[in-house]
Amino acid sequence: MGDGGSLGDLVVAARDRAFVGRAAERAMFRSALAGDPHGSPVLYLHGPGGIGKSTLLRRFALEAREAGRLVVEIDGRTVPATPDDFEQAAGKAIGEPGSVLLVDAFEHCQGLEHWLWEHFLPRLPLGTVAVVAARSAPDPRWVADPGWADLMHVVPLRNLARGDAATFLRVRGVPNGAHHALLSFTGGNPLALSLAAAVVVRQDADGTARAADWAPGRDVIATLLPRLVGDPPSPAHRTALEVCAQADVTSEALLRAMMGERAPELFAWLRTQPFIESTAAGLFPHDVVREVLAADLRWRDPDGFAALRRRMYEYLLGRVREASAAQMLPAMQALVYLHRTLGHLAQAFEWHSYGLVRELPCTPADEKRVVELVHETEGPESAALARLWLDRQPEAFVVYRSTGTDDIVAFSAWLQLAEREGEDVDPVVAAAWAHVRTAEPLRAGERVAVARFHVDPQAYQRPSAAMNLVQWRVIGEIVRSDDLAWSFVVMRDDGFWDDYLERSDMLPTDAGPVVGDHGYRLFAHDWRTRPALAWMVEKNKALLAGAGIDVGAGTHVAVGTHAAAGPHAVAAAGAVAPPPSDGTPREGTDYVVLSRREFDTAVRDALRALWWPNELAANPLSRSRLVAAHGQSLHDVLLCAIDTVPAERGGEKRHRVVTTTYSKAAPTQEAVARRLGMSFSTYRRHLTAAVKRVSDVLWSHELSGEPMVPVGRDLSADQRDGRPPDGPGPVDGQ
C-alpha cells in the first residue's frame, strides 16, 4: 500500500471487485445523477434483510463521488428517529444543490415517513438525488400522490439473477462443482451467497469440502435466520412462517387447516413481511427464507417438523380429492411441491419451470394441431390412433399452451374405458386389456384408465414444464376416482422412466406393443389391492423416511364426505391395521382383491372358522369389498350365503349338511355324516355342492358390489347363539 492510502481504501477496492449485477437499478441512479428529464430524483428501494440494499447504496456512493458529487449518508439504525436529529444527520444535503443523499435502514425511522415526504424531501434543492432504502415499501399514499408521481421511483429489490449469482460465486473463488447447491439454497440472495461462499471456500482450502452435496451448516443458518426474518411476535407467528416455508403457496384456508381460528390474523401479518411475495393464489417466501426456516425447524424440532409435513400433506391430499375439475391441477401442484427435494422425485420433475405452460381442454379447433404433434413425434400410425380417440373420447384430451406465445406445445390423453373398448383398433389399448384379463378381470361398475398419449415434441417424454402437468394430472385423476380398477401409463420403450414408475408401483407388463416404427411399454397398477389414498399416504411416508424424516405411525387422511363415496374409496387411510377381533374391518382399511381360486379357498377356510371370531378376522374375505364395503361382518355374510342354498334344486339336504357341518361343529365329518344318517360319500357330495353354491353366491356379490341380504333369518338371534362350542375347534376336511 502506497503513501496516503488506508485500510478503508482496500475495503472499498475489494467491495468494488466483488460487486455484480443490479444493472437496472444502477441505470436508474445514473439517469438521476445525469439530470435526465425522464429520470426520478428520488429512488425508494425496498426488500427484506440480506437482499443487498446496503451494498447497492455503497455502490451508489462510490459512483456519485467519482462523478464529483457531495455524498451524505444516513444510517437509520444509528440516527434517533426525530426530525431534528434526521436533519442534523442530513447536513449539507439540505442546502447544497447537486448533493446525493443516501438513507439506509429507514425502517428504523418509520415514524418519520409522513414528515419525510411532506416536509423534508420537498425542501431539497433541485439537482439533489435522494435514495431511501427500507425493508418495507412506502405507504401507498405517497405512491398514489400525483405530486410525487413523476419525481419518485419505487424499486423492489429482488435476489440476484441466476447468471449474476453464478458470477458472484466465481469472483469469490467458489469451486464450480458447488455452484448448483449454493444457488439452489440461496435462490440468489446476496447475504446467503456471501455466507455460503465463505464457508465453501474455507472448506475447499482445508480439504474438507464436498462441493456437489454441500448443505448449509448450523453457523450459516444461525446467522441468516435473524437477519432474514427477524424475531416473530409469538410462537404462533413463527409457526405460520414455518407453514409458509413448506407450502408452495399459502392461502388463508391452508393456514386455517394448520393453525385454526387465528388464521386470518396470521395471514394478514405474513403478507406484510418484506420477504413474503403475494400472488393470486396466496403467499410464498423468498427461496432462501424458505430453506432457512425449514432447515432450522428440522434441526431444532425434528418431531414438530415431521408433524407439520404430515398434517400439510393430509390437508393437500384432501384438496386434490375435493377440488373442482378446474382446480385439480393446482391442487396437485401444491401437493407434489412438498416432495420437491425428496428421493427420486427430485429428478422426475422440472421444478424451475412453473408458469411456462398452462393446461386447457382440447377444443375441436385444437384437434388438428394435436394430430400434427403426434405425427411429428410418433409417426403417421400413432397420429391415426390419436384421431380415432379424439373422435371417440374428445373429453379425454387436454392441451398445453405456452404462456408466452399461446401456441399448443404439448398434449395428453387420459382414456377411461369400459370392458374391451378400443382393443380392436389400438394395439396399445389391446395390450392393456389382455393384461387385465390375465391378471384380474373387471367387476361390475369398475373401469380401466390409460394414460395413452403424452406428447411434447421439444422434450419428448422427458422432464419439462408440460410433462410436469401431464404427470400431475394422471396422479390427480387416480386419486379422485371412485371406480378405477386398473390404470396404465404408456411410455416409449427406452427405459428412461422405468425406475421412477416402478418406485411408484406402476409395474411394467410383459406386453411390448409396436405402433409404426416405435415400441411402447405399459406400466400397470391394480387399485383394488391398495386404494389410491392409502397408496399416496404410504408413498409420502416412504419418501420422508428416505430423507430421514420420521412421520410416525399415526398418519391418516381426512378428506371429507367426497372421499367416502365409491367402492374403492376410504374415509381415512394410513398404516394398515388388523381388523377387530369380531371380523369386521375398521373404517378406512384396504380391500383385498382375490382371484377366483384364492376366493374359493378363503370361503372354505371361513366356513370352517364360522364360530371362531379370531380366525375369521384373519381370513382375507374380512378385508374384501364383499364384506368391508357394506359394514357387515364376515360371519353375517357367510350366514346369508348359506341361507341361499335351499333355493336351488335339492338344496334342502345340502343346507342341512352345510349348517350341521359348520354351525354345530361336530368334531369330524364322519361324525356329521352319522348324525345326518348318510353314507360318507353321499354326505361329501352334498357338502361339496353346498360349499360351491355358497362360494358362487359370494363371488357374484363380490363382482357386483351388491351387499348380501339375509334370507328369512333373524341374524341377531344367530349372533346371540353363535358362541364357540365346547370342543376341539373347526370341523376338519371340506
Side-chain angles (χ1 to χ4, degrees):
M1 183 173 64
D3 293 341
S6 68
L7 288 176
D9 295 332
L10 296 179
V11 170
V12 170
R15 286 172 173 169
D16 184 48
R17 289 192 301 271
F19 187 91
V20 298
R22 305 304 189 198
E25 292 83 0
R26 293 169 66 188
M28 293 177 197
F29 180 71
R30 290 168 180 168
S31 176
L33 276 182
D36 187 335
H38 298 294
S40 301
V42 178
L43 299 178
Y44 192 106
L45 309 176
H46 67 91
I51 203 68
K53 300 183 295 296
S54 298
T55 299
L56 185 56
L57 287 183
R58 285 195 294 266
R59 185 70 181 189
F60 287 170
L62 178 63
E63 294 189 9
R65 290 190 177 102
E66 289 176 347
R69 308 290 282 270
L70 171 68
V71 176
V72 178
E73 298 176 85
I74 299 177
D75 189 335
R77 290 164 293 200
T78 62
V79 175
T82 69
D84 289 343
D85 289 306
F86 194 94
E87 283 200 21
Q88 184 177 353
K92 294 182 180 180
I94 298 175
E96 184 169 330
S99 59
V100 173
L101 177 65
L102 304 175
V103 182
D104 197 7
F106 185 69
E107 67 270 9
H108 293 277
C109 304
Q110 208 68 46
L112 296 179
E113 185 171 13
H114 178 82
W115 171 83
L116 181 79
W117 296 106
E118 284 291 301
H119 301 288
F120 178 77
L121 291 177
R123 292 163 48 205
L124 294 178
L126 291 177
T128 302
V129 175
V131 182
V132 180
R135 290 198 171 196
S136 301
D139 190 306
R141 289 177 296 173
W142 312 119
V143 179
D145 187 334
W148 284 106
D150 296 328
L151 301 176
M152 176 181 64
H153 194 98
V154 178
V155 183
L157 210 57
R158 306 300 192 202
N159 289 338
L160 292 175
R162 194 170 183 87
D164 291 334
T167 299
F168 176 88
L169 295 178
R170 285 195 295 273
V171 170
R172 294 295 298 271
V174 174
N176 289 336
H179 284 198
H180 177 75
L182 267 65
L183 293 174
S184 297
F185 165 66
T186 66
N189 179 276
L191 174 62
L193 278 170
S194 297
L195 290 174
V199 171
V200 172
V201 169
R202 183 175 68 250
Q203 292 173 340
D204 188 53
D206 62 23
T208 61
R210 295 182 60 191
D213 54 0
W214 179 88
R218 284 301 314 148
D219 53 346
V220 174
I221 298 299
T223 302
L224 285 174
L225 193 60
R227 294 284 301 275
L228 296 176
V229 304
D231 187 16
S234 74
H237 290 80
R238 167 77 67 176
T239 301
L241 279 174
E242 290 161 351
V243 169
C244 196
Q246 296 296 317
D248 178 19
V249 176
T250 299
S251 64
E252 191 172 305
L254 171 60
L255 212 55
R256 183 179 300 108
M258 302 298 294
M259 303 197 65
E261 294 309 311
R262 290 192 66 183
E265 167 203 347
L266 296 170
F267 186 83
W269 175 78
L270 281 174
R271 71 192 307 179
T272 65
Q273 301 310 298
F275 49 82
I276 298 290
E277 302 284 347
S278 296
T279 70
L283 309 175
F284 67 93
H286 291 180
D287 289 345
V288 69
V289 174
R290 187 191 294 281
E291 298 296 337
V292 166
L293 283 167
D296 178 70
L297 177 62
R298 187 172 178 181
W299 169 79
R300 176 171 48 83
D301 183 7
D303 291 342
F305 179 81
L308 179 67
R309 289 292 296 256
R310 184 190 72 240
R311 290 170 54 218
M312 189 175 296
Y313 189 86
E314 293 169 3
Y315 170 77
L316 293 174
L317 181 56
R319 286 290 303 131
V320 173
R321 277 286 292 187
E322 297 170 352
S324 66
Q327 290 301 310
M328 185 267 279
L329 211 53
M332 269 303 308
Q333 175 177 315
L335 181 70
V336 175
Y337 184 82
L338 289 177
H339 293 156
R340 68 194 183 282
T341 62
L342 300 183
H344 64 289
L345 292 186
Q347 288 77 46
F349 301 110
E350 185 59 57
W351 294 104
H352 299 290
S353 63
Y354 285 175
L356 296 182
V357 297
R358 58 196 178 103
E359 183 190 273
L360 294 168
C362 180
T363 68
D366 300 331
E367 292 181 1
K368 178 181 177 183
R369 181 56 183 154
V370 164
V371 175
E372 290 174 349
L373 291 176
V374 186
H375 197 283
E376 291 173 19
T377 54
E378 298 185 355
E381 296 85 359
S382 280
L385 293 175
R387 179 68 268 174
L388 180 148
W389 287 114
L390 279 165
D391 292 337
R392 291 190 177 190
Q393 288 193 30
E395 70 283 357
F397 287 74
V398 293
V399 297
Y400 302 96
R401 290 184 177 272
S402 165
T403 53
T405 65
D406 204 41
D407 293 335
I408 296 175
V409 296
F411 81 93
S412 65
W414 177 253
L415 304 178
Q416 301 186 61
L417 307 174
E419 184 68 43
R420 308 190 71 160
E421 182 180 0
E423 71 174 355
D424 57 330
V425 292
D426 187 339
V428 173
V429 172
W433 281 121
H435 181 81
V436 169
R437 286 193 294 272
T438 301
E440 185 57 49
L442 292 189
R443 304 170 186 191
E446 295 177 342
R447 61 186 174 83
V448 167
V450 181
R452 177 62 182 90
F453 297 99
H454 14 267
V455 175
D456 177 357
Q458 295 302 313
Y460 182 73
Q461 293 190 358
R462 294 294 185 268
S464 69
M467 279 297 291
N468 284 355
L469 302 188
V470 170
Q471 294 184 73
W472 298 344
R473 168 158 292 282
V474 168
I475 299 170
E477 294 284 3
I478 289 170
V479 169
R480 291 160 66 88
S481 174
D482 291 327
D483 57 359
L484 183 62
W486 286 94
S487 68
F488 292 87
V489 173
V490 181
M491 305 299 293
R492 181 72 59 81
D493 192 10
D494 59 10
F496 182 85
W497 290 101
D498 289 9
D499 180 65
Y500 166 75
L501 288 167
E502 289 190 39
R503 286 173 180 264
S504 302
D505 296 335
M506 296 294 295
L507 302 180
T509 68
D510 294 333
V514 175
V515 179
D517 296 330
H518 302 293
Y520 296 88
R521 193 78 179 273
L522 275 72
F523 297 82
H525 188 100
D526 183 348
W527 294 104
R528 297 164 300 185
T529 62
R530 188 147 180 76
L533 289 178
W535 174 80
M536 291 287 285
V537 170
E538 177 186 86
K539 290 303 171 187
N540 177 56
K541 291 179 68 175
L543 283 167
L544 294 177
I549 304 168
D550 182 10
V551 298
T555 303
H556 67 282
V557 180
V559 294
T561 55
H562 183 100
H568 301 306
V570 290
V576 177
S581 60
D582 65 357
T584 305
R586 293 175 180 169
E587 181 183 15
T589 52
D590 308 326
Y591 299 158
V592 170
V593 178
L594 304 171
S595 68
R596 179 60 197 264
R597 180 177 296 178
E598 294 167 335
F599 189 91
D600 289 343
T601 299
V603 169
R604 289 193 295 271
D605 291 343
L607 287 170
R608 285 196 293 268
L610 185 61
W611 302 103
W612 279 263
N614 288 337
E615 292 195 32
L616 276 185
N619 190 288
L621 289 180
S622 68
R623 300 285 293 281
S624 68
R625 180 171 68 162
L626 170 72
V627 175
H630 306 294
Q632 296 173 282
S633 70
L634 178 55
H635 176 271
D636 290 349
V637 168
L638 290 168
L639 292 180
C640 290
I642 289 171
D643 283 348
T644 68
V645 174
E648 62 178 351
R649 185 175 179 182
E652 290 297 337
K653 284 186 179 180
R654 294 169 186 168
H655 184 258
R656 271 196 307 126
V657 167
V658 75
T659 54
T660 303
T661 301
Y662 296 122
S663 297
K664 303 305 178 183
T668 64
Q669 291 189 0
E670 288 82 355
V672 174
R674 288 195 298 271
R675 180 181 298 178
L676 294 173
M678 296 180 181
S679 68
F680 188 66
S681 61
T682 301
Y683 161 81
R684 288 285 297 176
R685 185 174 70 253
H686 287 312
L687 181 60
T688 299
V691 171
K692 183 178 185 304
R693 166 68 179 182
V694 168
S695 194
D696 287 345
V697 168
L698 292 175
W699 179 251
S700 174
H701 282 263
E702 169 74 358
L703 294 181
S704 70
E706 294 295 323
M708 289 295 304
V709 178
V711 181
R713 174 187 288 272
D714 179 1
L715 285 178
S716 61
D718 275 337
Q719 291 167 342
R720 287 194 301 271
D721 294 339
R723 296 183 298 275
D726 296 329
V731 174
D732 60 356
Q734 176 77 37

